[in-house]
Amino acid sequence: MRTILITGPGGSGRTTVAAATALAAARAGTRTLLLGADRDDTLGAVLGTATGPAPAPVEPNLTVWRPDAAQGFRGDLAALQDRAASALDLLGAARLDPEELTPLPGAEELALLRALRDAALAEGDGLHELLVVDLPPAPRALALLALPEELRRYLRRLLPPERQAARALRPVLGRLAGVPLPAESLYEAAARWDLELAAAEAVVADPNTVVRLVAEPGPAGADAVRTTALGLALRGLRTDLLVANRVLPEDAPADSWLAGPVAQQRKTLEEWQGTHDVRTVAHLGRDPRGADDLLALDVPGAGPAEPPVQWPVTDRLAEDGVLVWHIPLPGAIRDELDLVRRGDELVVSAGTFRRIVPLPSALRRCTVDGAALRDGELSVRFAPDPRLWPRTR
């Protein structure tokens, strides 16, 4: 199943483009699921028909789903209380009634991740061929796409799977330590969470998944695209297209008030075309509403599958005595880059973004020997550590 994740700066029209993309695919005969996360029914407003917490067909080949974050949050917290019943009783804590719970910040993102997972697991049923996801605005979308990987890393650090091997000794160890040790159900819950997060992470990292950026061509849009593209690159995510939305007509009179915005638009489009595959969507002169307006936008289709993003390791041992890890970071600025080696991981900071990346196996036996940023690619040099690298005769 192809997946198109659509995001952009707030107010750029990403929801409209997502709805138009899904509708055009459905009209072309592709069984399409359109997924949104907004608490307000912005998708329904654009489509001209209400959407809700259950997947519902809105026209042939098009199903729309807007998960209910409140419902999922209540269910998750109720299940957590049940699993932690003994600890809560020991502390004398009062149970929370599901009816008094309201979603915390971030609940919508978690609901969307779960829906992504469910859509991927249902792929074998053949219900849908294309998944179009209306992501939150770019800063929240970047945090959302990073969430599965980061949470799985936290789980592995806090509750390593190998500790489960000692569960038969847990009662004995508890008596010796004089304090209760984590119950087996806690490890079972961690394993279940890890599996769910892995499923969501697999959807994001799948070769058939791409991120499509939507922005209005202008100074603010240019800044937002530059920042978002860097954040996506650090995560190794593929961007297929940059949709320049609400493009004004070029034939505006020179003495019109449109002359200034059109000049800014032209300059931004020229910059984008040097670094992105840009597709323009004309301004209709009104806010699109309903199927006719969405089809009139003539948004780009799903397109062919994109090649996966590669972070290759080059063997230059014979020439320079090093291995080089190539990390594409278009838009990165040298003064805003930082690298820290920590055990078998590399902490990469680029601007406001940070990612902790496991080292490829060959590089774990090396020490960092330097780094350089050229033409949007970060090259990190690794020299073999004589204490760990196998010696040759």
Side-chain angles (χ1 to χ4, degrees), residues 330-365:
I333 299 174
R334 188 188 311 273
D335 293 341
E336 296 179 356
L337 276 176
D338 188 40
L339 298 175
V340 177
R341 168 75 181 271
R342 188 172 63 186
D344 290 339
E345 298 173 326
L346 187 68
V347 183
V348 185
S349 299
T352 59
F353 304 106
R354 181 172 177 266
R355 186 184 181 192
I356 302 175
V357 191
L359 291 174
S361 57
L363 302 184
R364 296 174 186 175
R365 296 172 289 153

Side-chain angles (χ1 to χ4, degrees), residues 49 132 134 162:
T49 181
V132 179
D134 175 27
E162 56 270 17

Side-chain angles (χ1 to χ4, degrees), residues 146-153 156 201 235 355-356:
L147 193 59
E149 177 184 293
E150 296 295 338
L151 286 181
R152 292 189 72 201
R153 181 177 176 276
R156 288 192 295 268
E201 185 179 2
R235 287 285 156 190
R355 186 184 181 192
I356 302 175

Side-chain angles (χ1 to χ4, degrees), residues 84-361:
S86 58
L88 292 174
D89 293 341
L90 183 65
L91 295 172
R95 301 287 188 93
L96 293 171
D97 190 293
E99 297 305 319
E100 67 178 300
L101 300 176
T102 56
L104 296 174
E108 288 86 358
E109 285 81 355
L110 291 174
L112 185 60
L113 279 177
R114 176 166 291 172
L116 274 175
R117 178 207 64 190
D118 292 344
L121 294 177
E123 180 181 355
D125 300 334
L127 296 176
H128 305 105
E129 301 168 286
L130 175 66
L131 172 62
V132 179
V133 185
D134 175 27
L135 289 177
R140 288 172 54 200
L142 289 167
L144 168 69
L145 297 174
L147 193 59
E149 177 184 293
E150 296 295 338
L151 286 181
R152 292 189 72 201
R153 181 177 176 276
Y154 297 154
L155 279 174
R156 288 192 295 268
R157 290 291 299 271
L158 295 173
L159 295 169
E162 56 270 17
R163 289 188 184 178
Q164 297 185 51
R167 59 185 173 186
L169 299 176
R170 190 171 287 114
V172 177
L173 294 174
R175 287 195 295 270
L176 292 175
V179 295
L181 294 180
E184 184 175 346
S185 60
L186 181 60
Y187 289 95
E188 292 173 350
R192 183 169 57 254
W193 293 335
D194 184 71
L195 186 61
E196 292 184 359
L197 290 168
E201 185 179 2
V203 177
V204 175
D206 190 278
N208 288 317
T209 297
V210 294
V211 180
R212 185 165 294 183
L213 297 180
V214 179
E216 290 191 55
D223 291 342
V225 166
R226 191 178 305 111
T227 301
T228 305
L230 176 58
L232 292 171
L234 185 58
R235 287 285 156 190
L237 299 174
R238 293 162 292 281
T239 303
D240 71 333
L241 300 176
L242 169 55
V243 178
N245 195 28
R246 302 188 186 119
V247 173
L248 300 170
E250 283 284 338
D251 57 357
D255 57 351
S256 165
W257 69 268
L258 285 174
V262 167
Q264 288 185 334
Q265 168 185 287
R266 187 183 305 116
K267 179 181 178 182
T268 302
L269 286 173
E270 289 174 355
E271 293 175 357
W272 283 351
Q273 286 163 355
T275 54
H276 297 275
D277 185 358
V278 181
R279 308 296 174 87
T280 59
V281 173
H283 200 306
L284 292 184
R286 61 185 181 277
D287 289 336
R289 288 291 183 271
D292 292 342
D293 281 356
L294 293 177
L295 293 174
L297 293 174
D298 193 23
V299 299
E306 292 292 311
V309 175
Q310 301 288 339
W311 288 19
V313 176
T314 302
D315 185 344
R316 284 171 43 187
L317 292 174
E319 300 86 357
D320 305 319
V322 296
L323 300 171
V324 181
W325 197 12
H326 301 274
I327 303 175
L329 291 178
I333 299 174
R334 188 188 311 273
D335 293 341
E336 296 179 356
L337 276 176
D338 188 40
L339 298 175
V340 177
R341 168 75 181 271
R342 188 172 63 186
D344 290 339
E345 298 173 326
L346 187 68
V347 183
V348 185
S349 299
T352 59
F353 304 106
R354 181 172 177 266
R355 186 184 181 192
I356 302 175
V357 191
L359 291 174
S361 57

Side-chain angles (χ1 to χ4, degrees), residues 15-16 18-24 26 30-38 40-68 112 115 119 127-128 130-134 291 294:
T15 297
T16 300
T21 302
L23 180 62
T30 302
R31 297 188 303 276
T32 304
L33 173 62
L34 174 58
L35 185 62
D38 279 352
D40 298 326
D41 192 8
T42 52
L43 274 178
V46 170
L47 289 166
T49 181
T51 67
V58 297
E59 68 168 65
N61 293 321
L62 179 58
T63 301
V64 182
W65 183 15
R66 189 167 50 86
D68 184 355
L112 185 60
L127 296 176
H128 305 105
L130 175 66
L131 172 62
V132 179
V133 185
D134 175 27
L294 293 177

